[in-house]
Amino acid sequence: MQNKTIAQLAADLRLRLYSSVELTQHYLERIARLDPRLNSFITVTAEQALAEAARADQLLRSGEAGPLTGIPIAHKDIFCTQGVKTSCGSRMLDPFIAPYDATVVERLAAAGAVMLGKTNMDEFAMGSSNETSWYGPVKNPWDEGRVPGGSSGGSAAAVAARLCAAATGTDTGGSIRQPAAFCGITGLKPTYGLCSRWGMVAFASSLDQAGVLARSAADAACLLDEMAGFDPRDSTSAEVSVPDYVDALDNDLHGLRIGLPREYFGGGLDPAIGDRVMDAVREYERLGACIQEISLPNSPLAVPVYYVIAPAECSSNLARFDGVRYGYRCADPSDLEDLYKRSRAEGFGAEVKRRIMIGTYVLSAGYYDAYYLKAQRVRQLIAADFRRAFEQVDVIMGPTTPTTAFALGAKLDDPVAMYLNDIYTIPANLAGLPALSIPIEPLAGLPVGLQIIGDHFQEARLLNVAHRYQHVTHWHQAAPPGFD
Ligand code: GLN
């Protein structure tokens, strides 16, 4: 069952080959047996899942089921889930039980999806390896000595290991695409504003976007169909009409114009990854696409710009965690100041503190113009590069990451090396563009991701482009040994 697509599972449920309760039990059994090796879940909501599955079975019997009714999924622990711990991977929120559901959670539940639990993540979504979680690192199911990527590493590992049919994630600088690449699955970061951020714990509000981690583009389309769309509770939610993503999957690719940015194939990229990306591009040529080289000249500035803007926004967003209103409070504070200081010192981990300090610095009087304002200007140049590129091409392709998954601990003491993981993913966040990663030919047994970036609100096109490749190749079907 765990290797079937969401469409197959949905068809089986309708034919009563098994019930949603049986399917849910099957995944819960896999989580209990296999997840102690991976640590991909922070919370497993077995009882609630079985109750939701029983309700889904009723809908299936009465013929009122939708495409996701009875399908077991997981949510990144950054999404508020009513009555269920929402930790954001942090000691700070370890005691926090959310009093409401995030819009994304609410919509998927309304569509009949069954929530198996909440997945592990880098603390407050800051990281590229899932090693900054208060709940310990997640292991990559392809090699348990390696990281799954981050920050949505729990979701990526859980989907790759077939512990759930699909999962939600968030992507501020690459946190859906990079772990998808490292774990050999499909990860979509939609256009900024397509999926509501309401009820999603904020990291860097102008960059954060909810999205999907799934085994295929077709599965991702099933979830996005339910998640996308205007939400009046999120002031940056886009008032656009949302197409049917599943309907567009099979569109023909003849005449598709693919741009390959010169800057994405330079130094720093493992040449063997570059070769595999070019093999995938040739597959697209066989499917009728035409290829041209393009330039995104300001993309080398994306990482430095991101590491001014994201910490600035995080220092402001995380000011609310003061030991008074939410989550962790230190023991026996001597006065108010001691309460603030020790609650934050004990509640946050090292990476979060580093970002808060950088953010506070770049926003302070005297430095605001030199760093924050300058970074916002360069951000506009990066966005303009993409605008020019999309006058010539329909989609942009390149590697998702410069390397395959690295060993646990390898980059923990070198934040800059860790930050450089996101060199190819961050530009899309700065420009608010949709982008996805799909698995292509692996390298030495480890997954490799192809990144496809589209113009604003071109998710249907991206999923279509990814799906056609998955139609003629089988890389996305490979399961990590021992998890098949
Ligand atoms: N790895 C990047 C960071 O540490 C991106 C994280 C994300 O997308 N949430 O900020």
Side-chain angles (χ1 to χ4, degrees):
M1 285 193 252
Q2 71 276 3
N3 286 310
K4 296 198 173 191
T5 67
I6 289 179
Q8 285 166 341
L9 292 173
D12 289 356
L13 288 172
R14 273 179 185 64
L15 291 171
R16 314 267 193 286
L17 298 186
Y18 39 84
S19 65
S20 173
V21 167
E22 285 166 324
L23 183 61
T24 301
Q25 276 164 340
H26 175 71
Y27 278 116
L28 290 171
E29 182 278 323
R30 285 181 67 82
I31 294 171
R33 180 160 50 87
L34 298 167
D35 202 45
R37 280 158 60 182
L38 301 176
N39 195 28
S40 70
F41 278 85
I42 290 174
T43 306
V44 179
T45 48
E47 224 172 281
Q48 179 178 329
L50 290 168
E52 287 173 15
R55 266 199 303 281
D57 283 331
Q58 270 169 14
L59 290 174
L60 284 155
R61 275 194 294 274
S62 62
E64 292 163 72
L68 285 184
T69 303
I71 305 292
I73 61 165
H75 289 298
K76 183 176 183 179
D77 209 16
I78 197 168
F79 291 99
C80 284
T81 41
Q82 188 173 8
V84 175
K85 174 156 106 171
T86 299
S87 75
C88 226
S90 182
R91 183 183 195 190
M92 184 58 93
L93 284 178
D94 179 68
F96 179 60
I97 308 286
Y100 60 89
D101 278 336
T103 300
V104 160
V105 171
E106 188 182 273
R107 288 189 181 175
L108 288 167
V114 170
M115 178 177 87
L116 294 168
K118 307 289 295 290
T119 57
N120 204 342
M121 54 181 285
D122 278 302
E123 186 177 8
F124 285 101
M126 298 173 200
S128 305
S129 67
N130 222 298
E131 293 168 294
T132 71
S133 169
W134 160 252
Y135 302 91
V138 177
K139 316 283 172 56
N140 189 317
W142 291 90
D143 176 346
E144 289 161 44
R146 290 176 192 267
V147 304
S151 64
S152 312
S155 287
V159 171
R162 281 109 171 108
L163 306 184
C164 53
T168 55
T170 61
D171 191 312
T172 304
S175 280
I176 289 176
R177 290 160 286 158
Q178 186 255 14
F182 279 10
C183 291
I185 61 167
T186 300
L188 169 69
K189 175 205 105 68
T191 306
Y192 181 76
L194 183 74
C195 294
S196 171
R197 290 187 296 113
W198 196 76
M200 202 173 104
V201 180
F203 160 17
S205 310
S206 77
L207 299 158
D208 296 343
Q209 177 55 208
V212 195
L213 295 108
R215 290 209 317 279
S216 66
D219 282 2
C222 291
L223 264 76
L224 191 66
D225 267 341
E226 305 299 337
M227 291 163 64
F230 179 63
D231 177 7
R233 293 172 295 191
D234 169 2
S235 62
T236 57
S237 172
E239 280 196 75
V240 289
S241 63
V242 173
D244 186 314
Y245 299 105
V246 172
D247 270 359
L249 285 171
D250 282 311
N251 291 350
D252 192 84
L253 297 190
H254 275 93
L256 178 80
R257 297 169 304 167
I258 297 175
L260 302 180
R262 202 173 302 142
E263 295 78 8
Y264 281 41
F265 293 86
L269 175 66
D270 179 337
I273 291 190
D275 291 345
R276 278 158 179 74
V277 167
M278 289 315 295
D279 285 345
V281 167
R282 277 189 282 276
E283 190 66 56
Y284 276 106
E285 276 185 307
R286 285 193 283 278
L287 290 168
C290 33
I291 314 298
Q292 56 177 293
E293 191 183 90
I294 59 163
S295 177
L296 299 170
N298 291 293
S299 48
L301 300 171
V303 171
V305 162
Y306 175 88
Y307 279 98
V308 172
I309 293 174
E313 294 183 12
C314 115
S315 72
S316 157
N317 275 325
L318 271 59
R320 75 191 68 179
F321 302 111
D322 55 6
V324 177
R325 285 168 293 187
Y326 307 88
Y328 180 80
R329 177 179 296 176
C330 67
D332 307 320
S334 56
D335 58 18
L336 186 62
E337 196 170 313
D338 184 46
L339 169 93
Y340 289 151
K341 282 187 177 163
R342 275 202 296 123
S343 297
R344 285 170 70 82
E346 294 165 17
F348 290 136
E351 183 60 27
V352 171
K353 286 178 190 159
R354 179 181 296 124
R355 308 260 182 130
I356 291 173
M357 284 190 285
I358 297 170
T360 309
Y361 179 83
V362 300
L363 288 177
S364 56
Y367 294 112
Y368 181 93
D369 290 4
Y371 293 106
Y372 187 68
L373 205 61
K374 181 75 141 286
Q376 290 290 15
R377 291 198 173 123
V378 180
R379 180 179 187 173
Q380 293 312 315
L381 297 178
I382 291 169
D385 283 356
F386 281 109
R387 273 198 297 280
R388 269 190 299 275
F390 285 122
E391 284 166 12
Q392 300 168 47
V393 298
D394 302 309
V395 294
I396 294 171
M397 287 188 186
T400 308
T401 57
T403 66
T404 52
F406 47 89
L408 284 155
K411 300 192 183 187
L412 258 190
D413 300 329
D414 188 350
V416 175
M418 188 72 95
Y419 298 169
L420 285 172
N421 261 286
D422 300 313
I423 190 155
Y424 305 132
T425 49
I426 283 175
N429 299 80
L430 291 171
L433 296 166
L436 57 71
S437 179
I438 52 172
I440 56 174
E441 187 185 348
L443 175 56
L446 293 173
V448 175
L450 171 75
Q451 183 176 212
I452 314 175
I453 307 174
D455 206 350
H456 292 107
F457 302 109
Q458 292 295 308
E459 287 76 8
R461 177 46 87 68
L462 287 185
L463 289 163
N464 162 224
V465 170
H467 177 72
R468 294 300 297 208
Y469 178 83
Q470 293 181 333
H471 195 66
V472 294
T473 57
H474 58 271
W475 308 118
H476 65 291
Q477 286 162 349
F483 293 96
D484 41 5

